[in-house]
Amino acid sequence: MYVANVEGRLTTFSNGGPVDVAHASGGRFESDIQRVYDRWDDFLAWGHTINAFGKCAHGPTKLGALVPQPRQVFAVGLNYSGHANETGLAPTQTPTTFTKFPSCIVGPDIVVELASDTTDWEVELVAVVARRAHRVRAADAWGYVAGLTIGQDISERTLQFADSTRQFSLGKSYPGYGPLGPFLVTPDEFPDPDDLAITCTIDGELVQAARTSEMIFSVGALIERLSAVCPLLPGDLIFTGTPAGVGFAQSPQRFLKPGQEIVSEIEGIGRLVTRTTHSAAGGDGGRAIGSPSAPAAEGTLAPTARKERRGRRH
């Protein structure tokens, strides 16, 4: 099943066409997409009683955030070995976890104001939680997933790696720094939801390309590890990590500029388009990221300081 937030209304698709859920269900479900996650099992059962769902093209209608007000947003760093390698840090034994504050979550086809000239891109598979999950085994975890979507973990690197404070969550939570979409796709729509092609282009240039099967911690493993600590709630988001190819790890380093188009794609889900513009606040980006005092990746050192520490583990 494909689900979207079409002009503020919960919508699904039958044979490629949109179905307004509140209208089609006779008021059984509200138009507010956020509320459906608390009734996901009921909604899923109803959805399969209408026609067979088909893949959907993104039409001219305005699509909104799939989870406008998540209670919890989990984000995972260093979850692809290629990304870990480009930062010079070995993968960790447990998922490196932080958050994106919910106020940064937006829908597809938005124009995001760059907070600085050191803002980076990170395409990610995002899992949406279907029901309360506490101490769930990885083998059972897919039963707790409402669906998958595409996310951009847009990251302001200067604040993220600020000297001794390492403000990961703040650096990734400026307004618009958490676009999602265009559709939420239920796991049964994929031949293998653990193995999907994932790419990112900037103005048509391919900068990231991998498969989600390359993740160190799979969706199931992440749900097991996270739910062992705290209950996951309906509508919670899990940003599962980004593959290699982010800007700050390149030499020379690259960052987003106003007027660019980021296209994030995941097989079977679609294309998430995000455009950039100048910040209304006129931020100048602050200090360059490559200095030894500013680490260049989750838990590692800047490229200029990496060589002498490459053999260590943190």
Side-chain angles (χ1 to χ4, degrees):
M1 180 164 58
Y2 284 68
V3 179
N5 179 351
V6 178
E7 298 181 348
R9 297 186 65 85
L10 172 62
T11 303
T12 187
F13 299 83
S14 174
N15 297 323
V19 176
D20 185 284
V21 171
H23 177 76
S25 69
R28 179 176 172 183
F29 300 98
E30 298 181 46
S31 60
D32 184 351
I33 193 170
Q34 183 69 46
R35 294 180 180 275
V36 78
Y37 297 107
D38 286 322
R39 301 180 57 195
W40 187 259
D41 289 336
D42 192 19
F43 171 67
L44 198 62
W46 172 83
H48 287 301
T49 65
I50 58 177
N51 296 323
F53 293 95
K55 291 188 177 180
C56 315
H58 183 176
T61 53
K62 177 67 175 177
L63 299 182
L66 293 163
V67 189
Q69 297 174 312
R71 285 173 284 194
Q72 300 182 107
V73 181
F74 299 90
V76 178
L78 299 174
N79 201 24
Y80 288 78
S81 58
H83 179 51
N85 290 339
E86 73 181 351
T87 69
L89 186 68
T92 57
Q93 297 300 310
T94 58
T96 301
T97 307
F98 47 94
T99 190
K100 293 175 76 72
F101 294 107
S103 59
C104 79
I105 301 299
V106 292
D109 290 336
I110 64 123
V111 178
V112 60
E113 292 186 358
L114 298 177
S116 76
D117 58 8
T118 53
T119 294
D120 207 346
W121 60 84
E122 293 192 8
V123 62
E124 305 204 10
L125 178 73
V126 178
V128 181
V129 176
R131 60 188 61 86
R132 189 179 189 275
H134 192 206
R135 299 171 182 166
V136 171
R137 298 183 305 169
D140 301 322
W142 277 109
Y144 293 82
V145 176
L148 301 175
T149 191
I150 308 167
Q152 259 292 336
D153 180 18
I154 300 176
S155 305
E156 200 291 297
R157 301 301 191 186
T158 297
L159 178 58
Q160 180 184 351
F161 302 125
D163 296 329
S164 61
T165 57
R166 311 289 176 87
Q167 298 288 348
F168 277 45
S169 298
L170 284 178
K172 293 167 175 280
S173 296
Y174 284 92
Y177 274 37
L180 296 177
F183 305 107
L184 177 75
V185 184
T186 54
D188 60 298
E189 290 284 353
F190 303 98
D192 182 356
D194 280 310
D195 184 29
L196 306 173
I198 179 171
T199 63
C200 178
T201 64
I202 308 293
D203 290 340
E205 177 190 355
L206 182 66
V207 292
Q208 292 181 279
R211 299 195 68 86
T212 60
S213 55
E214 299 171 33
M215 289 195 298
I216 297 167
F217 298 98
S218 66
V219 170
L222 289 174
I223 290 174
E224 179 177 76
R225 298 295 187 97
L226 295 173
S227 72
V229 175
C230 58
L232 310 183
L233 305 174
D236 282 358
L237 301 174
I238 304 174
F239 281 72
T240 61
T242 198
V246 297
F248 72 84
Q250 299 182 26
S251 181
Q253 293 177 329
R254 296 177 56 185
F255 299 102
L256 292 169
K257 299 177 181 179
Q260 291 187 310
E261 181 180 80
I262 311 164
V263 178
S264 309
E265 295 190 66
I266 296 181
E267 180 181 3
I269 301 175
R271 302 167 78 244
L272 171 67
V273 179
T274 309
R275 296 174 180 86
T276 61
T277 190
H278 289 279
S279 170
D284 62 4
R287 185 190 55 212
I289 297 300
S291 65
S293 61
E298 286 92 351
T300 189
L301 297 180
T304 55
R306 187 187 303 157
K307 183 175 180 181
E308 66 186 36
R309 297 284 296 276
R310 187 177 293 274
R312 295 194 184 185
R313 296 292 180 267
H314 294 258

